[in-house]
Structure formats: structure tokens, C-alpha cells
Amino acid sequence: MANAGHLVRRTSQREMVVPQKSLDRMEMRDMRNRLVQENGGPSYGTTNQGFEDPQKRTSVKKRTTSVTIPEENKVIELITNVASVLLSHQLSSTQAVKTEVIADNEKDAIQSPTRSEKEELGALASPPPGGDAIQASVISKPGDNTEDERESWDSKWQYLLAVIGYAVGLGSVWRFPYLCQKNGGGAFLFPYLIMLAVEGIPVFYLELAVGQRLRKGAIGVWNQVSPYCGGIGVASAFVSFNVALYYNTIIAWCLYYLAGSFRSPLPWSECPKEYYANGSYKIVRECAKSSPTEYFWYRETLEISPDINHPEKFNWKIAICLVVAWFLTYLCMAKGIASSGKVVYVTAPFPYLVLVIFFVRGITLPGMEHGLKHLFTPDWGKILDPTVWLEAGTQIFFSLGLAFGGLIAFSSYNPVHNNCFRDAVVCGIINCCTAIFAAIVVFSVLGFKAHVTFEHCIEERNSILMELFNTTDIDHIAAGEMITVNGTRVEGPMPELPKCDLQETLKNSASGTGLAFIVFTEAINQFPWAPLWSVLFFLMLFTLGIDSEFGTLEGVITSVVDLKVFPNIRKEILTAIICCICCAISMVFAHGAGNYVFILFDDFSGNIPLLIVAFFECVSVSYVYGLKRFSDDIELMIGSRPSGFFLLCWKYISPAVMLTILGSSVIKQVVNGSSYMAWDANEGVVTFEQWPHWAWGLVAVLVLISALWIPGIALTRLCGIHIIQDDEPAWFPAEELREFHTVVPHKVTYVEQKLFCIHEDGSEGLCCPIGAPPKENV
């Protein structure tokens, strides 16, 4: 219900011929907010009880005029009728509707209240003690209305968990620890944190802000920035599609290991045996030469072939796991953020719970101090190595999930007044802290594994010496040399002794799938109640992977919706179609050479195209849309302008870093070449093979099928061909946000003029604003 101020203002203006739409809109929004507060519902998303179904708006008039009013209470009658006039006037398009509604009500509703009625009105204005009266101090935020018909998150926590779950992925657990110990230990944290500040958080902030401002998916957003930039969104959609294909393969592997974790003993804890008719047996030769965990990974799980040119047989076990993985992905995403947004309440916090459990277990293991010392002992000489900075920038870039389109899609479901700057900083710091914490957990366990391996090696060495010389107090003597013990000449050569080196064992710690499915599983074998720890570990990997899969696939689905490829298909059916297509294509990973194809996708389908996409994102915002215009939009949304540091990163630093990483990566590939790890079954070891020529052709297809959309859309637009159809700008209450945050026109500073080429009239130098929509319409 409207308060006394609303009643007086509306009664005094009821005879105006031209309705004041902005005033009516503010009053309606204020009333909706009060209804929400009264009913106790949330005011964040589409579940807000104050939201109305747009299709039911035409029936509001009938509902408001059918209220039964007690005749003995004139004041309640007065307020109810005036509220009816207000609602009818807001929802009608002509003055005639307003007049008709007033005529249908009793004449007392438009008469001035008597003195006694005024006294009763004043009494009603103050809520009685303990009553459920509506508080007049509640202030509605811009955007809390029904004009925005886009999906919304149910709460801020749901959104944050979705973004954190998307950004904190498998790379934080199995790639960062390896990079840290490889590139100088604790010294690697300095280039890592610097890259986070100048590349990670600024681009993260840019994507959240542009998605929240333009309220569309990646394709719609960049087409709105400029029709010539629409190819950026299409490119990110294709990259997301390629990455989603092989990323769900990791989830399938986790499901296979998770199923095996319920067996005791674990199937990878010992080598299989070949039995003979007389009951004797021998250990499988391939496993004896390698290890139980390596044999189970390469032979039992992957059924791997010698190289990528010989796929051999189809792997039905992994194929079934892939079908299950895609089915679970569909179930979680069938209704868009209405379903995946609820799943993140479990999938996002669970990895942290498991990491804490493993941390508590890890710091109690013998030898854990060796792992942590090896991880964080700084090698300051590594900082001068350009490769270290290159890998730090690459890790920051991909661990945050930039340029996939998922962040833009997630933020487009936010209220327009959401503080996207705070979200970017919080999520970036959480991602960084998670990576460091995961490195501590991983290397505490790897330190224990190295300690056990070292102790076994020493025991084996001492056993050999005791058998031959009845002593272990012998200096190092090369194999084959004659030795003397206690003055006695020993005939025969010195036998080959095992080499026991704790630091060398830690240096050989694998990354990626090798760390998860070989090294870590071998460490878990040494734990008491190993199946329990295995279940927790692979559940953690599954939840980490499925969270990132949501964001990656959401970028694809939102882009297809924006392109209107299937305009008459419901979103859950469209999601099912896309998941089925992805499942069918992902069967290329379910044969003997599937792991090699996976490595090819992992190394090339995302890295180079994502760098290209992110570079053009910064260029589009800084040089096409305009930094001042973008800063004005952010100020409207959050009430403050981005600092000069972020403007500097968006326009100069971040694009320069991306070009450097991209150029260095290409030069490194050309000069040093590229190889992949193949499994030699005869020797039970990993070998390195060069990619065949046809594989390089596939690499070129994976890169170009994404990157060529950026210039392709621009060229076709110049030729008058509209591949991406122009759409109306999304709803954005600019004037109301300006009032709410009391935003005043920004005066261009001297620093902005000199550093960013922003002129006093607001135009910008070094820019080419071609085809951008008018500012007042966006």
C-alpha cells in the first residue's frame, strides 16, 4: 500500500492529462518493494514475491477493483481506492483507462478526507506495536522490478558460488603445484601474484562488468558493443565448445576411478597376476616394469595404444562413463541457472571441505616437511627466466576461466546494481589462495610418498650390501669395480645398487592427469583406509570439474540463444540437444589413442584461441566502446568509477601481456617443436613422440575455427551481410541508477586526457567507434 505522501501526491495530480511515467514507475517500484518486505520474500532474483508475470499485468485492473471494502471504515476505503487508481494508471496506456477506473469506484475515493478521517489516517501512518504494518523506511533499489525479463540468480551467494566454482577448477589442484615447484618454488609466487594483479583481476572485472551492463551472453554483449565486434562472442563460444568436449572426459575418468574406489583393496594397489594350471602365477611383465598405478591408468583405464596413429580397439568402459558424465551435466543444467545455480551449493564448497580434510591428514604424515620444503624453497635465479613469467601469466589466465564467455553469461543474470568490482577482487583472491592451499596439500602428500619411496630404496640397498658384505658401511663405489672390506679382497664386480635420492623423487612429480591418476593414487595406497581417501579425492576432482563444466557449457548455450539459431525451442530442450552433440563428438576420446587426442585438445584448442579472444575483448572495450563510456556505466551500476590502474590495464598492460604470451608461445612451438607422452608397453615407461603432420592440421583447424570468426564477422558486416542479427538493447534503468547513486557528470581529468587520450567533450583518441549503438539507447 502507498504511504501518506503517495496518497497526497497522487490525489493532487489525478486530473493531469499527460501521465508522469517516471513518477508512476518509482511509486510502483516502491510499493512492490514494500510488498516483498511485508511477505518476507527475497528481493534478489526472479523468486522475489514482488515480481509479477508480464502476461498477467492486464488482469491487475480487475483484481484491484474487485476488493470488498467495509463501509464502516472510510479511511481504509479511501486508501484502497486511491491505490487502485494508482495501479490502474501505471498499467494503462491511455488516460481513458484511468478515468474509467476512477468512475468505477465510489465518489468518496476522490474527495478530500474529513478532519476525523485525517486523524484516523495519521494513526494508520504509525504502525501499531507488534503489528505487521509495512515500514515506510524501506528504499527500493533500481532494477527490482519486472521490466527485466532475463533469468536471475536467487541470491548473491548462489551467484558467487557459481563463479568461484567455475574459476576454481582442476588446474588449481594439479597444475599450479607442479608449476610452482618447477619454476623456483616460493620465488614463483612473485610473478604469479604480479600477473594476477595486471592480467587476471582486470580482465575478470571487465567481463563481469560488461556482462552485467549489457545483460546478454557473449555474442549479444560484443555485438552490442559494436556489430563489428560480434565475432568475439562467436569465437569464445567455439572455444568453450572445444574445451567442454575434452573437459568432460576428465569427469568421465574421475567417475571410473570413483567407482573403483569402493573396492577393497583398491584395484590399482597391486599388480595383476597371470595364473598357470598348476596354481602358480607371475606378475604381469608390463606392470612389474612400471608400477601398479601406472599400469592401471594406461592399461586398465585408457587401454592405450602405442601412439596416436594406431587407435586400436574402442574403450567401452570410458564410453559409458562419458555418457554418464554428459547425462549428469544435462541434469544440472536443464533449466539453466534455476537448476545449475542450486547444484553449486554442493559442488562449490565440497572441494574445500575435502582439501581441508587432506590438509589435516597431510600435515600428520611422516616426510610431509620434505615436500613443503621442496615446494617453497625459493630459487631466486628463476625469476630472471622469461619462461617463468610466461607460465605464470598462462596459469593465471586459464585458472580464472577468462574469455570463455561463462563469466559474461553468469554476470548477465545479476541485478544491475550488483557490485561487480568487489566480486572480481574476491573471486580472484579466492582462486589464488585456493591454488596455494592446494599446493600445500598436494606436496605434503607427495612428501610422504617420496619419504616412503626413499625408505624402501634404502632398505633394498642395505639388504643387498648385507647379503654380500655383511655390512652397510661402504663408501660409494661404481658398479663393476673391485672392493675391499675390512682388508679382505672381494672377488667379483660391485653389483648395481638402487639410487636413493629424496629430492630427485620430488622433482619427478607429475602434473595434470599424471599427478591425479598416478602419483596421488600411489600416495593414497599408503594410507590406512585407502578406499575412503580415494573416494574423497575423486569426489573432489569430480565436483571441481563439473563446476567448471557448467560455466564453460553455459557460455555455449547462452551464445546459441543469443544467435537465435533455434528460436522456438525451449532452453531445456536446447541444452539436451547440445549435450547429445557433445557426447557424440567426445567419443573420439574413448579409444586406444583417445588420451593422445585429449592431450592435443588440451594443449592447443584453448590456449591460443583464448589469448586471441581476451586480447580483442580489451581492445573492444578500450578502443571501440570507449574507456570513459565504460567507466560511466560502471559508476551507474556500483556508484564509483574504476580506478586509473584498471583503465591502464584494460587499455595498455593487459593487451601487451597477452600479445607477449601469445607470441612467445608460437615462437616456442616453432623453434622447439612439440611432442606428446606415449606409453611403451614393452618397457613400461613413458616416451616422447612427435606429433604427426595430420595432427598439426587438426591443431590448425581447432585454432582457426575459433579465431577466424573475429575478422570474419567484421568483414561480412562491411559487405552488408548480417550473420548476427541486431537485437534491441537490454533493459537498463540508467536514470534511476543515476538518482539512486547520486551520480554527477564526470569531468575529464588532466591525467585522463594525457594518459588515455580522453578529450574534454568525452570523445576518445586512438579509438574507432564504428557502428556502436547510441549511448542513450544502450
Side-chain angles (χ1 to χ4, degrees):
M1 297 292 290
N3 60 18
H6 288 156
L7 185 147
V8 174
R9 184 165 61 253
R10 294 294 297 144
T11 304
S12 63
Q13 296 180 352
R14 65 181 183 273
E15 298 299 330
M16 293 181 64
V17 177
V18 180
Q20 298 185 11
K21 294 183 180 179
S22 60
L23 179 61
D24 292 341
R25 184 179 301 168
M26 291 176 62
E27 290 174 348
M28 281 293 297
R29 204 162 284 128
D30 192 16
M31 291 179 63
R32 283 198 196 95
N33 190 69
R34 296 167 191 278
L35 286 173
V36 171
Q37 298 298 330
E38 180 186 25
N39 294 329
S43 60
Y44 195 87
T46 53
T47 57
N48 188 332
Q49 298 179 29
F51 275 66
E52 297 179 66
D53 187 346
Q55 297 179 354
K56 298 181 181 179
R57 293 181 184 177
T58 55
S59 62
V60 174
K61 171 185 169 183
K62 296 181 180 180
R63 293 199 305 269
T64 56
T65 57
S66 62
V67 178
T68 302
I69 304 173
E71 295 183 359
E72 64 272 17
N73 195 329
K74 296 294 184 179
V75 177
I76 297 178
E77 178 184 12
L78 173 65
I79 297 174
T80 304
N81 284 315
V82 172
S84 176
V85 173
L86 189 153
L87 288 172
S88 299
H89 176 68
Q90 172 68 25
L91 299 173
S92 62
S93 59
T94 64
Q95 185 68 17
V97 177
K98 172 186 173 183
T99 306
E100 177 185 351
V101 174
I102 295 176
D104 290 340
N105 292 294
E106 296 186 13
K107 295 182 179 179
D108 292 341
I110 58 174
Q111 294 177 354
S112 300
T114 63
R115 181 175 180 179
S116 60
E117 290 173 338
K118 289 180 181 179
E119 292 174 356
E120 292 180 15
L121 183 60
L124 287 174
S126 300
D132 295 331
I134 303 163
Q135 299 296 324
S137 60
V138 178
I139 299 177
S140 169
K141 287 187 177 182
D144 293 339
N145 57 33
T146 58
E147 293 190 43
D148 187 11
E149 298 178 0
R150 190 171 182 81
E151 289 182 280
S152 298
W153 300 101
D154 284 344
S155 68
K156 183 61 176 286
W157 275 110
Q158 187 183 81
Y159 161 70
L160 285 178
L161 287 175
V163 173
I164 292 172
Y166 166 68
V168 179
L170 295 170
S172 300
V173 174
W174 68 25
R175 180 167 171 79
F176 176 79
Y178 166 75
L179 290 178
C180 198
Q181 66 94 18
K182 171 189 172 186
N183 295 306
F188 178 73
L189 294 178
F190 285 91
Y192 178 77
L193 294 175
I194 290 174
M195 287 296 178
L196 175 68
V198 302
E199 180 191 37
I201 292 180
V203 180
F204 202 93
Y205 182 19
L206 182 147
E207 292 199 358
L208 293 185
V210 76
Q212 183 174 310
R213 169 61 182 87
L214 298 178
R215 312 191 63 73
K216 295 179 182 293
I219 293 179
V221 158
W222 298 115
N223 190 61
Q224 199 77 46
V225 168
S226 171
Y228 297 92
C229 298
I232 299 175
V234 182
S236 65
F238 271 88
V239 176
S240 297
F241 182 81
N242 292 334
V243 172
L245 287 177
Y246 77 83
Y247 210 87
N248 229 15
T249 306
I250 303 175
I251 298 175
W253 293 337
C254 291
L255 289 174
Y256 183 75
Y257 268 75
L258 182 61
S261 299
F262 290 96
R263 295 166 56 185
S264 182
L266 292 172
W268 52 83
S269 60
E270 58 184 19
C271 287
K273 303 177 179 64
E274 293 180 354
Y275 289 89
Y276 298 99
N278 59 1
S280 61
Y281 66 87
K282 70 173 182 179
I283 297 176
V284 175
R285 180 174 177 273
E286 183 180 352
C287 182
K289 285 195 170 186
S290 54
S291 68
T293 52
E294 282 185 307
Y295 179 85
F296 186 85
W297 169 243
Y298 288 112
R299 184 59 53 210
E300 297 290 339
T301 304
L302 299 179
E303 298 181 1
I304 200 164
S305 59
D307 54 61
I308 195 172
N309 290 314
H310 300 85
E312 296 185 352
K313 61 181 179 180
F314 189 76
N315 192 335
W316 289 101
K317 296 177 295 186
I318 297 302
I320 294 173
C321 291
L322 275 169
V323 172
V324 173
W326 281 109
F327 180 69
L328 292 175
T329 301
Y330 167 72
L331 288 182
C332 296
M333 299 189 65
K335 296 185 180 298
I337 62 171
S339 54
S340 63
K342 292 178 175 57
V343 174
V344 296
Y345 284 118
V346 176
T347 58
F350 183 77
Y352 291 94
L353 174 63
V354 177
L355 283 175
V356 170
I357 294 174
F358 268 96
F359 172 76
V360 175
R361 175 60 181 162
I363 60 177
T364 62
L365 293 171
M368 69 90 185
E369 65 278 3
H370 300 302
L372 297 182
K373 182 180 178 181
H374 179 78
L375 173 64
F376 289 116
T377 299
D379 182 2
W380 299 110
K382 289 279 189 178
I383 292 185
L384 302 179
D385 186 356
T387 304
V388 174
W389 291 84
L390 175 64
E391 292 191 340
T394 305
Q395 174 63 16
I396 280 292
F397 189 86
F398 298 114
S399 66
L400 288 175
L402 305 176
F404 282 99
L407 292 174
I408 294 177
F410 281 166
S411 63
S412 69
Y413 303 128
N414 267 331
V416 291
H417 49 72
N418 176 64
N419 193 331
C420 51
F421 167 69
R422 182 176 56 198
D423 296 343
V425 174
V426 169
C427 293
I429 293 176
I430 288 177
N431 183 77
C432 175
C433 294
T434 302
I436 297 174
F437 182 62
I440 294 173
V441 173
V442 167
F443 267 86
S444 65
V445 175
L446 294 184
F448 163 71
K449 173 186 172 297
H451 172 76
V452 172
T453 303
F454 179 74
E455 291 293 332
H456 287 170
C457 180
I458 293 295
E459 289 179 4
E460 183 180 354
R461 179 180 180 276
N462 291 341
S463 176
I464 295 174
L465 293 176
M466 287 295 295
E467 182 179 349
L468 292 177
F469 312 115
N470 198 30
T471 181
T472 60
D473 188 17
I474 297 178
D475 295 334
H476 176 71
I477 300 177
E481 293 184 3
M482 304 300 292
I483 63 171
T484 301
V485 180
N486 296 329
T488 303
R489 185 176 180 80
V490 179
E491 297 294 337
M494 180 69 181
E496 183 77 28
L497 297 177
K499 297 179 181 179
C500 306
D501 190 336
L502 183 64
Q503 295 302 318
E504 190 66 25
T505 303
L506 287 170
K507 285 182 180 179
N508 292 331
S509 300
S511 67
T513 55
L515 174 63
F517 298 103
I518 298 176
V519 179
F520 216 87
T521 51
E522 187 174 342
I524 290 176
N525 287 338
Q526 313 300 326
F527 288 5
W529 304 311
L532 173 62
W533 296 103
S534 182
V535 168
L536 287 175
F537 178 69
F538 288 108
L539 267 180
M540 179 187 71
L541 292 186
F542 171 77
T543 53
L544 281 172
I546 202 75
D547 270 346
S548 299
E549 183 73 8
F550 291 160
T552 305
L553 204 58
E554 183 66 32
V556 179
I557 295 171
T558 309
S559 298
V560 173
V561 172
D562 287 344
L563 278 176
K564 296 182 174 60
V565 180
F566 306 103
N568 299 322
I569 297 180
R570 291 159 48 191
K571 191 171 183 179
E572 54 265 34
I573 298 178
L574 178 62
T575 303
I577 293 173
I578 293 177
C579 287
C580 288
I581 294 174
C582 291
C583 183
I585 299 176
S586 63
M587 291 301 157
V588 299
F589 306 112
H591 54 77
N595 185 59
Y596 306 138
V597 180
F598 171 88
I599 295 173
L600 187 144
F601 268 72
D602 189 28
D603 287 346
F604 300 105
S605 69
N607 297 7
I608 295 177
L610 283 177
L611 286 170
I612 296 172
V613 170
F615 172 78
F616 279 100
E617 285 183 352
C618 291
V619 169
S620 298
V621 168
S622 301
Y623 297 94
V624 178
Y625 193 81
L627 280 181
K628 181 182 182 302
R629 184 178 174 187
F630 191 52
S631 301
D632 291 341
D633 292 342
I634 293 177
E635 186 178 17
L636 287 177
M637 292 189 293
I638 68 176
S640 60
R641 302 178 70 82
S643 65
F645 169 77
F646 286 101
L647 301 182
L648 197 65
C649 288
W650 290 334
K651 192 157 190 173
Y652 302 118
I653 299 178
S654 295
V657 170
M658 292 173 203
L659 279 182
T660 303
I661 294 175
L662 179 62
S664 302
S665 300
V666 173
I667 293 173
K668 186 178 179 180
Q669 295 290 341
V670 172
V671 174
N672 299 330
S674 181
S675 59
Y676 65 95
M677 292 187 299
W679 179 249
D680 186 348
N682 293 325
E683 299 298 327
V685 295
V686 171
T687 60
F688 289 89
E689 302 288 340
Q690 294 294 319
W691 292 108
H693 295 298
W694 68 264
W696 285 112
L698 180 58
V699 169
V701 171
L702 291 175
V703 173
L704 295 178
I705 199 175
S706 303
L708 286 181
W709 283 101
I710 299 176
I713 294 293
L715 290 175
T716 55
R717 192 81 185 194
L718 284 173
C719 298
I721 303 173
H722 294 188
I723 296 179
I724 303 176
Q725 297 301 318
D726 294 335
D727 200 2
E728 288 294 327
W731 170 85
F732 187 74
E735 293 302 324
E736 297 162 27
L737 286 167
R738 186 173 288 108
E739 276 187 38
F740 182 78
H741 292 297
T742 61
V743 176
V744 297
H746 176 71
K747 185 177 180 181
V748 180
T749 64
Y750 177 79
V751 175
E752 291 175 337
Q753 294 182 37
K754 297 300 180 182
L755 193 57
F756 304 115
C757 305
I758 302 176
H759 304 149
E760 292 186 3
D761 60 356
S763 61
E764 301 187 26
L766 300 178
C767 301
C768 47
I770 46 178
K775 182 176 180 180
E776 60 273 11
N777 291 337
V778 177

